[in-house]
PDB file of all heavy atoms in Angstrom:
ATOM      1  N   THR U   1     130.034  57.993 -18.904  1.00 66.00           N
ATOM      2  CA  THR U   1     131.278  58.750 -19.076  1.00 66.00           C
ATOM      3  C   THR U   1     131.381  59.377 -20.461  1.00 66.00           C
ATOM      4  O   THR U   1     132.287  60.160 -20.713  1.00 66.00           O
ATOM      5  CB  THR U   1     132.493  57.824 -18.869  1.00 66.00           C
ATOM      6  OG1 THR U   1     132.413  56.721 -19.782  1.00 66.00           O
ATOM      7  CG2 THR U   1     132.522  57.293 -17.441  1.00 66.00           C
ATOM      8  N   ASN U   2     130.461  59.045 -21.336  1.00 63.00           N
ATOM      9  CA  ASN U   2     130.443  59.613 -22.681  1.00 63.00           C
ATOM     10  C   ASN U   2     129.636  60.899 -22.687  1.00 63.00           C
ATOM     11  O   ASN U   2     128.426  60.885 -22.467  1.00 63.00           O
ATOM     12  CB  ASN U   2     129.850  58.599 -23.671  1.00 63.00           C
ATOM     13  CG  ASN U   2     129.882  59.121 -25.102  1.00 63.00           C
ATOM     14  OD1 ASN U   2     130.364  60.224 -25.367  1.00 63.00           O
ATOM     15  ND2 ASN U   2     129.373  58.316 -26.023  1.00 63.00           N
ATOM     16  N   SER U   3     130.283  62.039 -22.941  1.00 61.00           N
ATOM     17  CA  SER U   3     129.607  63.333 -22.876  1.00 61.00           C
ATOM     18  C   SER U   3     128.524  63.482 -23.936  1.00 61.00           C
ATOM     19  O   SER U   3     127.676  64.367 -23.839  1.00 61.00           O
ATOM     20  CB  SER U   3     130.629  64.468 -23.029  1.00 61.00           C
ATOM     21  OG  SER U   3     131.294  64.375 -24.274  1.00 61.00           O
ATOM     22  N   LYS U   4     128.533  62.637 -24.964  1.00 62.00           N
ATOM     23  CA  LYS U   4     127.509  62.705 -26.002  1.00 62.00           C
ATOM     24  C   LYS U   4     126.297  61.832 -25.675  1.00 62.00           C
ATOM     25  O   LYS U   4     125.311  61.826 -26.401  1.00 62.00           O
ATOM     26  CB  LYS U   4     128.103  62.284 -27.349  1.00 62.00           C
ATOM     27  CG  LYS U   4     129.209  63.220 -27.837  1.00 62.00           C
ATOM     28  CD  LYS U   4     129.742  62.783 -29.192  1.00 62.00           C
ATOM     29  CE  LYS U   4     130.842  63.732 -29.664  1.00 62.00           C
ATOM     30  NZ  LYS U   4     131.382  63.316 -30.988  1.00 62.00           N
ATOM     31  N   SER U   5     126.383  61.091 -24.597  1.00 65.00           N
ATOM     32  CA  SER U   5     125.278  60.233 -24.201  1.00 65.00           C
ATOM     33  C   SER U   5     124.090  61.064 -23.723  1.00 65.00           C
ATOM     34  O   SER U   5     124.250  62.109 -23.099  1.00 65.00           O
ATOM     35  CB  SER U   5     125.730  59.289 -23.074  1.00 65.00           C
ATOM     36  OG  SER U   5     124.636  58.616 -22.511  1.00 65.00           O
ATOM     37  N   ALA U   6     122.899  60.595 -24.015  1.00 64.00           N
ATOM     38  CA  ALA U   6     121.687  61.326 -23.639  1.00 64.00           C
ATOM     39  C   ALA U   6     121.520  61.382 -22.129  1.00 64.00           C
ATOM     40  O   ALA U   6     120.884  62.289 -21.600  1.00 64.00           O
ATOM     41  CB  ALA U   6     120.463  60.671 -24.283  1.00 64.00           C
ATOM     42  N   THR U   7     122.070  60.415 -21.426  1.00 76.00           N
ATOM     43  CA  THR U   7     121.931  60.363 -19.966  1.00 76.00           C
ATOM     44  C   THR U   7     123.130  60.950 -19.238  1.00 76.00           C
ATOM     45  O   THR U   7     123.172  60.946 -18.017  1.00 76.00           O
ATOM     46  CB  THR U   7     121.747  58.902 -19.511  1.00 76.00           C
ATOM     47  OG1 THR U   7     122.910  58.139 -19.890  1.00 76.00           O
ATOM     48  CG2 THR U   7     120.506  58.288 -20.147  1.00 76.00           C
ATOM     49  N   TYR U   8     124.099  61.475 -20.000  1.00 74.00           N
ATOM     50  CA  TYR U   8     125.355  61.934 -19.386  1.00 74.00           C
ATOM     51  C   TYR U   8     125.116  63.012 -18.344  1.00 74.00           C
ATOM     52  O   TYR U   8     125.555  62.890 -17.203  1.00 74.00           O
ATOM     53  CB  TYR U   8     126.299  62.441 -20.476  1.00 74.00           C
ATOM     54  CG  TYR U   8     127.585  63.023 -19.933  1.00 74.00           C
ATOM     55  CD1 TYR U   8     128.617  62.190 -19.521  1.00 74.00           C
ATOM     56  CD2 TYR U   8     127.759  64.401 -19.835  1.00 74.00           C
ATOM     57  CE1 TYR U   8     129.797  62.712 -19.020  1.00 74.00           C
ATOM     58  CE2 TYR U   8     128.940  64.932 -19.342  1.00 74.00           C
ATOM     59  CZ  TYR U   8     129.946  64.090 -18.934  1.00 74.00           C
ATOM     60  OH  TYR U   8     131.110  64.612 -18.436  1.00 74.00           O
ATOM     61  N   ASN U   9     124.420  64.084 -18.719  1.00 76.00           N
ATOM     62  CA  ASN U   9     124.258  65.198 -17.785  1.00 76.00           C
ATOM     63  C   ASN U   9     123.455  64.793 -16.552  1.00 76.00           C
ATOM     64  O   ASN U   9     123.765  65.189 -15.435  1.00 76.00           O
ATOM     65  CB  ASN U   9     123.579  66.377 -18.475  1.00 76.00           C
ATOM     66  CG  ASN U   9     123.571  67.621 -17.595  1.00 76.00           C
ATOM     67  OD1 ASN U   9     124.596  68.221 -17.325  1.00 76.00           O
ATOM     68  ND2 ASN U   9     122.388  67.985 -17.124  1.00 76.00           N
ATOM     69  N   LYS U  10     122.417  63.969 -16.759  1.00 79.00           N
ATOM     70  CA  LYS U  10     121.607  63.526 -15.634  1.00 79.00           C
ATOM     71  C   LYS U  10     122.431  62.707 -14.652  1.00 79.00           C
ATOM     72  O   LYS U  10     122.316  62.888 -13.426  1.00 79.00           O
ATOM     73  CB  LYS U  10     120.419  62.700 -16.140  1.00 79.00           C
ATOM     74  CG  LYS U  10     119.497  62.230 -15.038  1.00 79.00           C
ATOM     75  CD  LYS U  10     118.325  61.444 -15.591  1.00 79.00           C
ATOM     76  CE  LYS U  10     117.400  60.970 -14.476  1.00 79.00           C
ATOM     77  NZ  LYS U  10     116.253  60.189 -15.011  1.00 79.00           N
ATOM     78  N   GLU U  11     123.272  61.835 -15.178  1.00 81.00           N
ATOM     79  CA  GLU U  11     124.083  61.005 -14.293  1.00 81.00           C
ATOM     80  C   GLU U  11     125.234  61.804 -13.667  1.00 81.00           C
ATOM     81  O   GLU U  11     125.677  61.484 -12.563  1.00 81.00           O
ATOM     82  CB  GLU U  11     124.608  59.796 -15.056  1.00 81.00           C
ATOM     83  CG  GLU U  11     123.480  58.870 -15.505  1.00 81.00           C
ATOM     84  CD  GLU U  11     123.970  57.497 -15.926  1.00 81.00           C
ATOM     85  OE1 GLU U  11     125.185  57.249 -15.831  1.00 81.00           O
ATOM     86  OE2 GLU U  11     123.134  56.681 -16.341  1.00 81.00           O
ATOM     87  N   GLN U  12     125.707  62.844 -14.362  1.00 81.00           N
ATOM     88  CA  GLN U  12     126.687  63.722 -13.740  1.00 81.00           C
ATOM     89  C   GLN U  12     126.076  64.465 -12.559  1.00 81.00           C
ATOM     90  O   GLN U  12     126.734  64.698 -11.540  1.00 81.00           O
ATOM     91  CB  GLN U  12     127.230  64.717 -14.765  1.00 81.00           C
ATOM     92  CG  GLN U  12     128.096  64.102 -15.852  1.00 81.00           C
ATOM     93  CD  GLN U  12     129.370  63.489 -15.302  1.00 81.00           C
ATOM     94  OE1 GLN U  12     129.418  62.319 -14.947  1.00 81.00           O
ATOM     95  NE2 GLN U  12     130.409  64.278 -15.237  1.00 81.00           N
ATOM     96  N   GLN U  13     124.808  64.847 -12.682  1.00 84.00           N
ATOM     97  CA  GLN U  13     124.118  65.489 -11.572  1.00 84.00           C
ATOM     98  C   GLN U  13     124.063  64.567 -10.367  1.00 84.00           C
ATOM     99  O   GLN U  13     124.260  64.995  -9.223  1.00 84.00           O
ATOM    100  CB  GLN U  13     122.706  65.884 -11.989  1.00 84.00           C
ATOM    101  CG  GLN U  13     122.643  66.982 -13.043  1.00 84.00           C
ATOM    102  CD  GLN U  13     121.218  67.312 -13.416  1.00 84.00           C
ATOM    103  OE1 GLN U  13     120.326  67.345 -12.573  1.00 84.00           O
ATOM    104  NE2 GLN U  13     120.989  67.552 -14.697  1.00 84.00           N
ATOM    105  N   GLU U  14     123.779  63.286 -10.604  1.00 86.00           N
ATOM    106  CA  GLU U  14     123.731  62.330  -9.511  1.00 86.00           C
ATOM    107  C   GLU U  14     125.124  62.109  -8.908  1.00 86.00           C
ATOM    108  O   GLU U  14     125.285  62.005  -7.695  1.00 86.00           O
ATOM    109  CB  GLU U  14     123.167  60.999 -10.009  1.00 86.00           C
ATOM    110  CG  GLU U  14     121.680  61.030 -10.310  1.00 86.00           C
ATOM    111  CD  GLU U  14     120.867  61.336  -9.060  1.00 86.00           C
ATOM    112  OE1 GLU U  14     121.158  60.745  -7.994  1.00 86.00           O
ATOM    113  OE2 GLU U  14     119.962  62.183  -9.147  1.00 86.00           O
ATOM    114  N   LYS U  15     126.126  62.097  -9.777  1.00 88.00           N
ATOM    115  CA  LYS U  15     127.488  61.823  -9.327  1.00 88.00           C
ATOM    116  C   LYS U  15     128.016  62.917  -8.420  1.00 88.00           C
ATOM    117  O   LYS U  15     128.699  62.646  -7.418  1.00 88.00           O
ATOM    118  CB  LYS U  15     128.394  61.665 -10.555  1.00 88.00           C
ATOM    119  CG  LYS U  15     129.806  61.212 -10.236  1.00 88.00           C
ATOM    120  CD  LYS U  15     130.568  60.936 -11.521  1.00 88.00           C
ATOM    121  CE  LYS U  15     131.950  60.383 -11.243  1.00 88.00           C
ATOM    122  NZ  LYS U  15     132.688  60.077 -12.498  1.00 88.00           N
ATOM    123  N   TYR U  16     127.708  64.171  -8.755  1.00 90.00           N
ATOM    124  CA  TYR U  16     128.282  65.294  -8.025  1.00 90.00           C
ATOM    125  C   TYR U  16     127.247  66.065  -7.209  1.00 90.00           C
ATOM    126  O   TYR U  16     127.460  67.222  -6.875  1.00 90.00           O
ATOM    127  CB  TYR U  16     128.985  66.242  -8.991  1.00 90.00           C
ATOM    128  CG  TYR U  16     130.104  65.575  -9.754  1.00 90.00           C
ATOM    129  CD1 TYR U  16     130.073  65.476 -11.140  1.00 90.00           C
ATOM    130  CD2 TYR U  16     131.185  65.028  -9.070  1.00 90.00           C
ATOM    131  CE1 TYR U  16     131.100  64.853 -11.830  1.00 90.00           C
ATOM    132  CE2 TYR U  16     132.211  64.394  -9.752  1.00 90.00           C
ATOM    133  CZ  TYR U  16     132.162  64.316 -11.133  1.00 90.00           C
ATOM    134  OH  TYR U  16     133.180  63.686 -11.819  1.00 90.00           O
ATOM    135  N   ARG U  17     126.148  65.412  -6.891  1.00 92.00           N
ATOM    136  CA  ARG U  17     125.163  66.073  -6.040  1.00 92.00           C
ATOM    137  C   ARG U  17     125.790  66.444  -4.700  1.00 92.00           C
ATOM    138  O   ARG U  17     125.544  67.519  -4.153  1.00 92.00           O
ATOM    139  CB  ARG U  17     123.936  65.170  -5.847  1.00 92.00           C
ATOM    140  CG  ARG U  17     122.789  65.845  -5.109  1.00 92.00           C
ATOM    141  CD  ARG U  17     121.594  64.929  -5.011  1.00 92.00           C
ATOM    142  NE  ARG U  17     121.131  64.518  -6.321  1.00 92.00           N
ATOM    143  CZ  ARG U  17     120.322  65.252  -7.097  1.00 92.00           C
ATOM    144  NH1 ARG U  17     119.917  66.436  -6.680  1.00 92.00           N
ATOM    145  NH2 ARG U  17     119.949  64.811  -8.281  1.00 92.00           N
ATOM    146  N   TRP U  18     126.579  65.521  -4.153  1.00 94.00           N
ATOM    147  CA  TRP U  18     127.366  65.799  -2.951  1.00 94.00           C
ATOM    148  C   TRP U  18     128.831  65.515  -3.279  1.00 94.00           C
ATOM    149  O   TRP U  18     129.198  64.388  -3.569  1.00 94.00           O
ATOM    150  CB  TRP U  18     126.906  64.949  -1.771  1.00 94.00           C
ATOM    151  CG  TRP U  18     125.608  65.409  -1.203  1.00 94.00           C
ATOM    152  CD1 TRP U  18     124.369  64.920  -1.477  1.00 94.00           C
ATOM    153  CD2 TRP U  18     125.424  66.484  -0.274  1.00 94.00           C
ATOM    154  NE1 TRP U  18     123.411  65.617  -0.784  1.00 94.00           N
ATOM    155  CE2 TRP U  18     124.031  66.587  -0.023  1.00 94.00           C
ATOM    156  CE3 TRP U  18     126.281  67.363   0.376  1.00 94.00           C
ATOM    157  CZ2 TRP U  18     123.494  67.530   0.832  1.00 94.00           C
ATOM    158  CZ3 TRP U  18     125.746  68.306   1.247  1.00 94.00           C
ATOM    159  CH2 TRP U  18     124.370  68.378   1.462  1.00 94.00           C
ATOM    160  N   VAL U  19     129.643  66.556  -3.256  1.00 94.00           N
ATOM    161  CA  VAL U  19     131.059  66.439  -3.599  1.00 94.00           C
ATOM    162  C   VAL U  19     131.822  65.846  -2.416  1.00 94.00           C
ATOM    163  O   VAL U  19     131.538  66.166  -1.257  1.00 94.00           O
ATOM    164  CB  VAL U  19     131.643  67.822  -3.945  1.00 94.00           C
ATOM    165  CG1 VAL U  19     133.108  67.701  -4.345  1.00 94.00           C
ATOM    166  CG2 VAL U  19     130.838  68.466  -5.059  1.00 94.00           C
ATOM    167  N   GLU U  20     132.793  64.984  -2.721  1.00 96.00           N
ATOM    168  CA  GLU U  20     133.606  64.407  -1.659  1.00 96.00           C
ATOM    169  C   GLU U  20     135.079  64.427  -2.042  1.00 96.00           C
ATOM    170  O   GLU U  20     135.447  64.241  -3.203  1.00 96.00           O
ATOM    171  CB  GLU U  20     133.162  62.979  -1.341  1.00 96.00           C
ATOM    172  CG  GLU U  20     133.358  61.979  -2.471  1.00 96.00           C
ATOM    173  CD  GLU U  20     132.976  60.566  -2.061  1.00 96.00           C
ATOM    174  OE1 GLU U  20     132.006  60.421  -1.315  1.00 96.00           O
ATOM    175  OE2 GLU U  20     133.676  59.623  -2.492  1.00 96.00           O
ATOM    176  N   TYR U  21     135.928  64.689  -1.053  1.00 97.00           N
ATOM    177  CA  TYR U  21     137.371  64.725  -1.267  1.00 97.00           C
ATOM    178  C   TYR U  21     138.071  64.890   0.077  1.00 97.00           C
ATOM    179  O   TYR U  21     137.457  65.188   1.096  1.00 97.00           O
ATOM    180  CB  TYR U  21     137.764  65.890  -2.191  1.00 97.00           C
ATOM    181  CG  TYR U  21     137.356  67.255  -1.687  1.00 97.00           C
ATOM    182  CD1 TYR U  21     138.148  67.960  -0.777  1.00 97.00           C
ATOM    183  CD2 TYR U  21     136.170  67.848  -2.108  1.00 97.00           C
ATOM    184  CE1 TYR U  21     137.775  69.213  -0.307  1.00 97.00           C
ATOM    185  CE2 TYR U  21     135.790  69.097  -1.638  1.00 97.00           C
ATOM    186  CZ  TYR U  21     136.593  69.770  -0.742  1.00 97.00           C
ATOM    187  OH  TYR U  21     136.216  71.002  -0.282  1.00 97.00           O
ATOM    188  N   HIS U  22     139.377  64.699   0.068  1.00 97.00           N
ATOM    189  CA  HIS U  22     140.224  65.106   1.191  1.00 97.00           C
ATOM    190  C   HIS U  22     141.409  65.845   0.587  1.00 97.00           C
ATOM    191  O   HIS U  22     142.065  65.372  -0.339  1.00 97.00           O
ATOM    192  CB  HIS U  22     140.671  63.915   2.053  1.00 97.00           C
ATOM    193  CG  HIS U  22     141.241  62.769   1.286  1.00 97.00           C
ATOM    194  ND1 HIS U  22     142.591  62.626   1.036  1.00 97.00           N
ATOM    195  CD2 HIS U  22     140.637  61.693   0.710  1.00 97.00           C
ATOM    196  CE1 HIS U  22     142.805  61.516   0.359  1.00 97.00           C
ATOM    197  NE2 HIS U  22     141.640  60.923   0.127  1.00 97.00           N
ATOM    198  N   LYS U  23     141.669  67.044   1.101  1.00 97.00           N
ATOM    199  CA  LYS U  23     142.653  67.948   0.511  1.00 97.00           C
ATOM    200  C   LYS U  23     143.725  68.293   1.536  1.00 97.00           C
ATOM    201  O   LYS U  23     143.415  68.764   2.634  1.00 97.00           O
ATOM    202  CB  LYS U  23     141.955  69.219   0.021  1.00 97.00           C
ATOM    203  CG  LYS U  23     142.834  70.167  -0.763  1.00 97.00           C
ATOM    204  CD  LYS U  23     142.003  71.319  -1.333  1.00 97.00           C
ATOM    205  CE  LYS U  23     142.833  72.199  -2.250  1.00 97.00           C
ATOM    206  NZ  LYS U  23     142.012  73.280  -2.854  1.00 97.00           N
ATOM    207  N   TRP U  24     144.991  68.079   1.151  1.00 97.00           N
ATOM    208  CA  TRP U  24     146.121  68.299   2.048  1.00 97.00           C
ATOM    209  C   TRP U  24     147.030  69.370   1.452  1.00 97.00           C
ATOM    210  O   TRP U  24     147.331  69.334   0.252  1.00 97.00           O
ATOM    211  CB  TRP U  24     146.920  67.012   2.234  1.00 97.00           C
ATOM    212  CG  TRP U  24     146.080  65.855   2.662  1.00 97.00           C
ATOM    213  CD1 TRP U  24     145.244  65.105   1.871  1.00 97.00           C
ATOM    214  CD2 TRP U  24     145.961  65.313   3.975  1.00 97.00           C
ATOM    215  NE1 TRP U  24     144.622  64.125   2.613  1.00 97.00           N
ATOM    216  CE2 TRP U  24     145.042  64.231   3.914  1.00 97.00           C
ATOM    217  CE3 TRP U  24     146.552  65.627   5.206  1.00 97.00           C
ATOM    218  CZ2 TRP U  24     144.708  63.476   5.019  1.00 97.00           C
ATOM    219  CZ3 TRP U  24     146.218  64.863   6.318  1.00 97.00           C
ATOM    220  CH2 TRP U  24     145.307  63.807   6.216  1.00 97.00           C
ATOM    221  N   LYS U  25     147.475  70.282   2.276  1.00 97.00           N
ATOM    222  CA  LYS U  25     148.334  71.344   1.766  1.00 97.00           C
ATOM    223  C   LYS U  25     149.348  71.764   2.824  1.00 97.00           C
ATOM    224  O   LYS U  25     149.028  71.849   4.009  1.00 97.00           O
ATOM    225  CB  LYS U  25     147.499  72.551   1.330  1.00 97.00           C
ATOM    226  CG  LYS U  25     148.309  73.586   0.560  1.00 97.00           C
ATOM    227  CD  LYS U  25     147.438  74.653  -0.062  1.00 97.00           C
ATOM    228  CE  LYS U  25     148.284  75.648  -0.845  1.00 97.00           C
ATOM    229  NZ  LYS U  25     147.467  76.700  -1.491  1.00 97.00           N
ATOM    230  N   PHE U  26     150.562  72.054   2.317  1.00 97.00           N
ATOM    231  CA  PHE U  26     151.631  72.568   3.181  1.00 97.00           C
ATOM    232  C   PHE U  26     152.315  73.717   2.458  1.00 97.00           C
ATOM    233  O   PHE U  26     152.579  73.645   1.249  1.00 97.00           O
ATOM    234  CB  PHE U  26     152.659  71.485   3.511  1.00 97.00           C
ATOM    235  CG  PHE U  26     153.867  72.021   4.242  1.00 97.00           C
ATOM    236  CD1 PHE U  26     153.832  72.183   5.618  1.00 97.00           C
ATOM    237  CD2 PHE U  26     155.022  72.368   3.552  1.00 97.00           C
ATOM    238  CE1 PHE U  26     154.931  72.693   6.294  1.00 97.00           C
ATOM    239  CE2 PHE U  26     156.125  72.876   4.222  1.00 97.00           C
ATOM    240  CZ  PHE U  26     156.083  73.040   5.596  1.00 97.00           C
ATOM    241  N   LYS U  27     152.607  74.784   3.200  1.00 96.00           N
ATOM    242  CA  LYS U  27     153.333  75.919   2.643  1.00 96.00           C
ATOM    243  C   LYS U  27     154.276  76.459   3.696  1.00 96.00           C
ATOM    244  O   LYS U  27     153.867  76.709   4.835  1.00 96.00           O
ATOM    245  CB  LYS U  27     152.372  77.017   2.198  1.00 96.00           C
ATOM    246  CG  LYS U  27     153.059  78.239   1.597  1.00 96.00           C
ATOM    247  CD  LYS U  27     152.062  79.270   1.109  1.00 96.00           C
ATOM    248  CE  LYS U  27     152.752  80.476   0.493  1.00 96.00           C
ATOM    249  NZ  LYS U  27     151.780  81.484  -0.006  1.00 96.00           N
ATOM    250  N   GLY U  28     155.533  76.642   3.314  1.00 97.00           N
ATOM    251  CA  GLY U  28     156.520  77.170   4.249  1.00 97.00           C
ATOM    252  C   GLY U  28     157.424  78.190   3.582  1.00 97.00           C
ATOM    253  O   GLY U  28     157.836  78.011   2.430  1.00 97.00           O
ATOM    254  N   ARG U  29     157.719  79.272   4.303  1.00 96.00           N
ATOM    255  CA  ARG U  29     158.666  80.284   3.835  1.00 96.00           C
ATOM    256  C   ARG U  29     159.627  80.611   4.970  1.00 96.00           C
ATOM    257  O   ARG U  29     159.204  80.800   6.118  1.00 96.00           O
ATOM    258  CB  ARG U  29     157.952  81.564   3.385  1.00 96.00           C
ATOM    259  CG  ARG U  29     157.048  81.383   2.191  1.00 96.00           C
ATOM    260  CD  ARG U  29     156.699  82.719   1.537  1.00 96.00           C
ATOM    261  NE  ARG U  29     156.050  83.644   2.454  1.00 96.00           N
ATOM    262  CZ  ARG U  29     155.795  84.922   2.153  1.00 96.00           C
ATOM    263  NH1 ARG U  29     156.181  85.422   0.988  1.00 96.00           N
ATOM    264  NH2 ARG U  29     155.179  85.689   3.035  1.00 96.00           N
ATOM    265  N   MET U  30     160.915  80.699   4.648  1.00 97.00           N
ATOM    266  CA  MET U  30     161.933  81.063   5.621  1.00 97.00           C
ATOM    267  C   MET U  30     162.695  82.280   5.112  1.00 97.00           C
ATOM    268  O   MET U  30     163.000  82.384   3.914  1.00 97.00           O
ATOM    269  CB  MET U  30     162.903  79.901   5.860  1.00 97.00           C
ATOM    270  CG  MET U  30     162.258  78.679   6.490  1.00 97.00           C
ATOM    271  SD  MET U  30     163.468  77.395   6.890  1.00 97.00           S
ATOM    272  CE  MET U  30     164.458  78.239   8.115  1.00 97.00           C
ATOM    273  N   PHE U  31     163.002  83.206   6.026  1.00 97.00           N
ATOM    274  CA  PHE U  31     163.694  84.437   5.681  1.00 97.00           C
ATOM    275  C   PHE U  31     165.023  84.479   6.435  1.00 97.00           C
ATOM    276  O   PHE U  31     165.058  84.343   7.663  1.00 97.00           O
ATOM    277  CB  PHE U  31     162.840  85.648   6.042  1.00 97.00           C
ATOM    278  CG  PHE U  31     161.506  85.669   5.341  1.00 97.00           C
ATOM    279  CD1 PHE U  31     160.394  85.070   5.928  1.00 97.00           C
ATOM    280  CD2 PHE U  31     161.362  86.263   4.099  1.00 97.00           C
ATOM    281  CE1 PHE U  31     159.168  85.076   5.298  1.00 97.00           C
ATOM    282  CE2 PHE U  31     160.134  86.271   3.457  1.00 97.00           C
ATOM    283  CZ  PHE U  31     159.038  85.680   4.053  1.00 97.00           C
ATOM    284  N   THR U  32     166.111  84.691   5.685  1.00 97.00           N
ATOM    285  CA  THR U  32     167.452  84.704   6.257  1.00 97.00           C
ATOM    286  C   THR U  32     168.177  85.969   5.824  1.00 97.00           C
ATOM    287  O   THR U  32     168.340  86.218   4.615  1.00 97.00           O
ATOM    288  CB  THR U  32     168.263  83.479   5.796  1.00 97.00           C
ATOM    289  OG1 THR U  32     167.526  82.286   6.097  1.00 97.00           O
ATOM    290  CG2 THR U  32     169.611  83.438   6.487  1.00 97.00           C
ATOM    291  N   ALA U  33     168.608  86.789   6.791  1.00 96.00           N
ATOM    292  CA  ALA U  33     169.368  88.002   6.485  1.00 96.00           C
ATOM    293  C   ALA U  33     170.807  87.624   6.166  1.00 96.00           C
ATOM    294  O   ALA U  33     171.490  87.011   6.987  1.00 96.00           O
ATOM    295  CB  ALA U  33     169.310  88.969   7.661  1.00 96.00           C
ATOM    296  N   LEU U  34     171.278  88.002   4.970  1.00 96.00           N
ATOM    297  CA  LEU U  34     172.632  87.660   4.544  1.00 96.00           C
ATOM    298  C   LEU U  34     173.634  88.752   4.868  1.00 96.00           C
ATOM    299  O   LEU U  34     174.847  88.512   4.834  1.00 96.00           O
ATOM    300  CB  LEU U  34     172.648  87.373   3.037  1.00 96.00           C
ATOM    301  CG  LEU U  34     171.714  86.255   2.568  1.00 96.00           C
ATOM    302  CD1 LEU U  34     171.837  86.066   1.062  1.00 96.00           C
ATOM    303  CD2 LEU U  34     172.011  84.949   3.289  1.00 96.00           C
ATOM    304  N   THR U  35     173.141  89.966   5.149  1.00 94.00           N
ATOM    305  CA  THR U  35     174.002  91.075   5.565  1.00 94.00           C
ATOM    306  C   THR U  35     173.382  91.720   6.797  1.00 94.00           C
ATOM    307  O   THR U  35     172.247  91.405   7.176  1.00 94.00           O
ATOM    308  CB  THR U  35     174.163  92.115   4.439  1.00 94.00           C
ATOM    309  OG1 THR U  35     172.868  92.610   4.067  1.00 94.00           O
ATOM    310  CG2 THR U  35     174.834  91.497   3.219  1.00 94.00           C
ATOM    311  N   SER U  36     174.099  92.629   7.418  1.00 91.00           N
ATOM    312  CA  SER U  36     173.613  93.277   8.631  1.00 91.00           C
ATOM    313  C   SER U  36     172.950  94.610   8.305  1.00 91.00           C
ATOM    314  O   SER U  36     173.055  95.119   7.181  1.00 91.00           O
ATOM    315  CB  SER U  36     174.767  93.505   9.609  1.00 91.00           C
ATOM    316  OG  SER U  36     175.772  94.314   9.004  1.00 91.00           O
ATOM    317  N   GLY U  37     172.251  95.187   9.292  1.00 88.00           N
ATOM    318  CA  GLY U  37     171.615  96.481   9.119  1.00 88.00           C
ATOM    319  C   GLY U  37     170.161  96.355   8.718  1.00 88.00           C
ATOM    320  O   GLY U  37     169.645  95.264   8.434  1.00 88.00           O
ATOM    321  N   GLN U  38     169.468  97.515   8.715  1.00 87.00           N
ATOM    322  CA  GLN U  38     168.061  97.544   8.325  1.00 87.00           C
ATOM    323  C   GLN U  38     167.884  97.193   6.859  1.00 87.00           C
ATOM    324  O   GLN U  38     167.051  96.383   6.484  1.00 87.00           O
ATOM    325  CB  GLN U  38     167.471  98.925   8.608  1.00 87.00           C
ATOM    326  CG  GLN U  38     167.238  99.231  10.081  1.00 87.00           C
ATOM    327  CD  GLN U  38     166.101  98.410  10.654  1.00 87.00           C
ATOM    328  OE1 GLN U  38     166.322  97.413  11.334  1.00 87.00           O
ATOM    329  NE2 GLN U  38     164.885  98.826  10.375  1.00 87.00           N
TER     330      GLN U  38
END
């Protein structure tokens, strides 16, 4: 975990060779006319 370590980059390569995660997202928009007409 020490970026100054001689083995840091090599072990980062091993750590992120295959990325893993689960990502959740929600987005909602509602439109309400407050007056009449176009």
Side-chain angles (χ1 to χ4, degrees):
T1 57
N2 183 1
S3 60
K4 297 181 180 180
S5 170
T7 61
Y8 176 79
N9 188 68
K10 182 179 180 180
E11 295 196 2
Q12 291 296 90
Q13 293 179 39
E14 288 298 315
K15 187 174 184 178
Y16 300 118
R17 187 177 302 277
W18 286 97
V19 182
E20 65 177 37
Y21 59 84
H22 49 93
K23 187 174 186 177
W24 307 77
K25 190 170 181 179
F26 172 84
K27 180 177 181 179
R29 296 197 302 172
M30 295 185 64
F31 301 90
T32 306
L34 302 181
T35 58
S36 59
Q38 287 290 101

